[in-house]
C-alpha cells in the first residue's frame, strides 16, 4: 500500500510506516493544500497529515483511494470530519501524548507575561538596566490568585494541576460536568460569564468548533477584569484577535500570552507592538520527546487503520463500525 506523509516529521514515525508501506514524504517548501493536495494523494491509501493541510469538503470529495487521514495533532479542525465520514475515510489524531508539554507552555506564557520576562530580557540585551529599583518593572503575582480554565479536558486539567502548586483557586467551564476534577483539584465548574468576571488568569483549552469560534469577543473582554490576563494555547480563532488588540490597547485586560493565532503563521500586527503580550510560534507540543511520540502515534493509527485494526485514537468511529 502507498502512504503520503505531507511534511517532514520525526524519523520514528517514518520508520514505522516504512516497515509496512511504500512511503512518500512530501519535500516541498509550502504546505500542501487544495488541488496540489488532491494531486499528491492520487493512488495513496493513507495520509499522515499535519495541521497546515486543510482537508476541506472539496478536497475530501476528490479523494478516490485514501482510506485514512492520520493527523499528527490532537486538534483536527483542519479536517472536515463530516465529509470524511460520508466518504468512509477514517480520521485519527494524537490525544494525550502532548498534554504535559502543552500545559507547560501555557504556564511558561503565563509566568512570562505576568512577570514581564521577555521585556526584562530585552532590557538586559540592550544594556538598558540602570540598577535595582523598588518601583521598576513590577508585575503581577500569581500565588493565591484565581485561574479560569476554559475547556477542562486533558490539557485544561494538566494546567489546573500545575495551578495547585501556586495555591490558586480553580474555576472552569466545560460542556459536561467533571465531578472527578472538582474532587481531585478542588475546582469549581461555573458558567462562562462567571469565569470571565472572577478569574485573574484565563487559560483557553477548548477545541476550535463552530461553538468556540470567537468565544473571546468584544463582549467577553468587556466582562473580564481589567487586571486579568488571557492565555491561549488552544486555537487562534477561538479569540477574535481584532477585539483582543483593542482590549489590550484600551486597558480592558492587562495582558496576553499567545501560542496560536487567528491567521497563522501571521499574528495581528497590533499584537507585535504591545509590551503586555508574549507570543510563541505554535510550539505547545514542541519538545523532542513529545514530537517523537506524536509522530509514532500518528503512524501507528495509520498502520492500524490500513491493516484492519481499530486505531487507538479514532475521531469518527462511525466509519469503523460501518466497515468492520
Ligand atoms: P480535550 O481533552 O478534548 O479537551 C477539550 C475540552 O474542551 C473538553 O473538556 C470539552 O468539554 C471542552 N469544550 C469543548 N467545547 C467547549 C465549549 N464550547 N465550552 C467549554 N468547553 C468546551 O482536548 P485536549 O487534548 O485538552 O486539547 C485541547 C485543544 O488544545 C486541542 O483541540 C487543540 O486545538 C489545542 N492544542 C494546541 C496545542 C498547541 O501546540 N498550542 C497542542 C495541543 C493541543 P467536554 O469534556 O465536556 O467534551
Ligand atoms: C497542536 O496544535 C495540536 O492540536 O496537537
Amino acid at each position: 500500500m502507498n502512504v503520503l506523509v505531507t511534511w517532514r516529521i520525526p524519523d520514528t514515525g517514518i520508520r514505522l510506516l516504512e516497515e509496512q508501506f511504500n512511503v512518500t514524504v512530501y519535500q516541498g517548501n509550502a504546505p500542501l493544500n487544495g488541488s496540489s493536495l488532491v494531486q499528491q494523494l492520487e493512488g495513496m491509501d493513507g495520509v499522515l497529515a499535519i495541521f497546515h493541510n486543510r482537508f476541506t469538503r472539496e478536497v475530501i470529495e476528490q479523494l478516490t483511494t485514501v482510506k485514512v487521514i492520520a493527523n499528527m495533532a490532537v486538534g483536527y479542525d483542519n479536517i472536515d470530519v463530516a465529509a470524511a465520514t460520508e466518504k468512509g475515510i477514517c480520521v485519527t489524531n494524537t490525544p494525550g501524548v502532548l498534554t504535559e508539554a502543552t500545559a507547560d507552555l501555557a504556564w511558561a506564557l503565563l509566568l512570562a507575561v505576568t512577570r514581564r520576562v521577555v521585556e526584562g530580557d530585552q532590557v538586559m540585551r540592550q544594556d538598558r538596566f540602570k540598577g535595582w529599583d523598588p518601583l521598576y518593572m513590577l508585575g503581577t503575582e500569581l500565588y493565591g490568585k484565581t485561574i479560569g480554565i476554559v475547556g477542562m479536558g486533558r490539557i485544561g486539567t494538566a494546567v489546573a494541576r500545575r495551578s495547585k502548586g501556586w495555591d490558586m483557586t480553580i474555576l472552569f467551564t466545560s460542556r459536561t460536568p467533571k465531578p472527578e476534577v472538582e474532587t481531585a483539584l478542588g475546582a469549581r465548574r461555573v458558567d462562562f460569564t462567571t469565569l470571565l468576571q472572577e478569574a485573574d488568569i484565563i487559560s483557553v483549552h477548548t477545541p476550535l468548533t463552530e461553538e468556540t469560534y470567537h468565544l473571546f469577543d468584544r463582549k467577553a473582554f468587556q466582562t473580564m477584569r481589567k487586571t486579568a490576563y488571557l492565555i491561549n494555547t488552544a486555537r487562534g480563532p477561538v479569540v477574535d484577535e481584532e477585539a483582543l488588540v483593542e482590549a489590550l490597547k484600551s486597558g480592558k485586560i492587562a495582558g496576553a500570552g499567545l501560542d496560536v493565532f487567528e491567521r497563522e503563521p501571521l499574528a495581528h500586527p497590533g499584537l507585535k507592538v504591545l509590551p503586555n503580550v508574549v507570543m510563541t510560534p505554535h510550539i505547545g507540543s514542541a519538545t523532542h520527546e513529545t514530537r517523537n511520540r506524536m509522530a509514532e502515534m500518528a503512524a501507528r493509527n495509520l498502520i492500524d487503520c490500513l491493516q484492519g485494526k481499530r486505531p487507538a485514537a479514532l475521531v469518527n468511529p462511525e466509519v469503523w463500525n460501518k466497515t468492520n
Side-chain angles (χ1 to χ4, degrees), residues 51 72-77 94 98 102 233-235 260 282 285 294:
F51 169 71
M72 192 181 129
V74 63
Y76 47 83
D77 46 282
T94 60
L98 42 60
T102 310
T233 57
R235 281 289 183 268
V260 288
H282 204 145
S285 63
M294 288 167 72

Side-chain angles (χ1 to χ4, degrees), residues 67-293:
K67 297 162 198 73
V68 50
I69 303 169
N71 218 30
M72 192 181 129
V74 63
Y76 47 83
D77 46 282
N78 57 318
I79 302 169
D80 187 327
V81 177
T85 305
E86 280 168 37
K87 191 95 183 158
I89 296 175
C90 288
V91 176
T92 67
N93 68 339
T94 60
V97 293
L98 42 60
T99 298
E100 303 303 331
T102 310
D104 280 348
L105 191 83
W107 260 91
L109 286 169
L110 177 42
L111 285 165
V113 70
T114 54
R115 296 305 305 274
R116 306 176 65 176
V117 172
V118 177
E119 275 181 86
D121 180 81
Q122 282 163 0
V123 164
M124 293 310 297
R125 286 170 196 271
Q126 295 161 8
D127 287 331
R128 287 192 281 118
F129 181 40
K130 302 277 187 288
W132 194 85
D133 179 334
L135 296 177
Y136 183 53
M137 223 177 231
L138 307 187
T140 298
E141 199 147 314
L142 290 176
Y143 191 83
K145 294 276 170 68
T146 297
I147 189 165
I149 308 275
V150 176
M152 192 63 115
R154 287 172 292 257
I155 300 170
T157 305
V159 168
R161 230 186 313 112
R162 285 157 175 73
S163 312
K164 292 301 286 176
W166 274 258
D167 258 344
M168 295 177 97
T169 298
I170 302 166
L171 305 178
F172 71 95
T173 64
S174 64
R175 290 176 303 187
T176 52
K178 309 272 173 207
E180 66 294 347
V181 176
E182 301 206 34
T183 309
L185 299 175
R188 183 160 58 94
R189 184 165 177 246
V190 293
D191 61 61
F192 186 52
T193 305
T194 305
L195 183 140
L196 293 174
Q197 289 168 338
E198 293 187 12
D200 299 300
I201 311 292
I202 294 178
S203 195
V204 188
H205 301 288
T206 60
L208 172 62
T209 62
E210 273 174 27
E211 203 189 332
T212 62
Y213 175 79
H214 281 194
L215 186 62
F216 284 82
D217 56 7
R218 278 190 178 79
K219 187 164 162 238
F221 293 124
Q222 193 74 47
T223 313
M224 281 172 68
R225 295 180 169 199
K226 285 190 165 46
T227 49
Y229 292 82
L230 178 75
I231 308 299
N232 187 10
T233 57
R235 281 289 183 268
V238 177
V239 174
D240 177 348
E241 235 167 56
E242 192 70 43
L244 172 64
V245 169
E246 197 182 292
L248 288 162
K249 271 164 70 176
S250 61
K252 285 195 183 72
I253 67 170
L258 308 169
D259 184 48
V260 288
F261 304 88
E262 216 180 332
R263 279 167 280 275
E264 285 183 24
L266 303 175
H268 190 296
L271 292 171
K272 297 186 210 167
V273 293
L274 293 172
N276 52 343
V277 176
V278 174
M279 296 184 278
T280 48
H282 204 145
I283 55 169
S285 63
T287 67
H288 294 291
E289 297 88 340
T290 290
R291 286 286 163 83
N292 281 343
R293 285 195 294 262

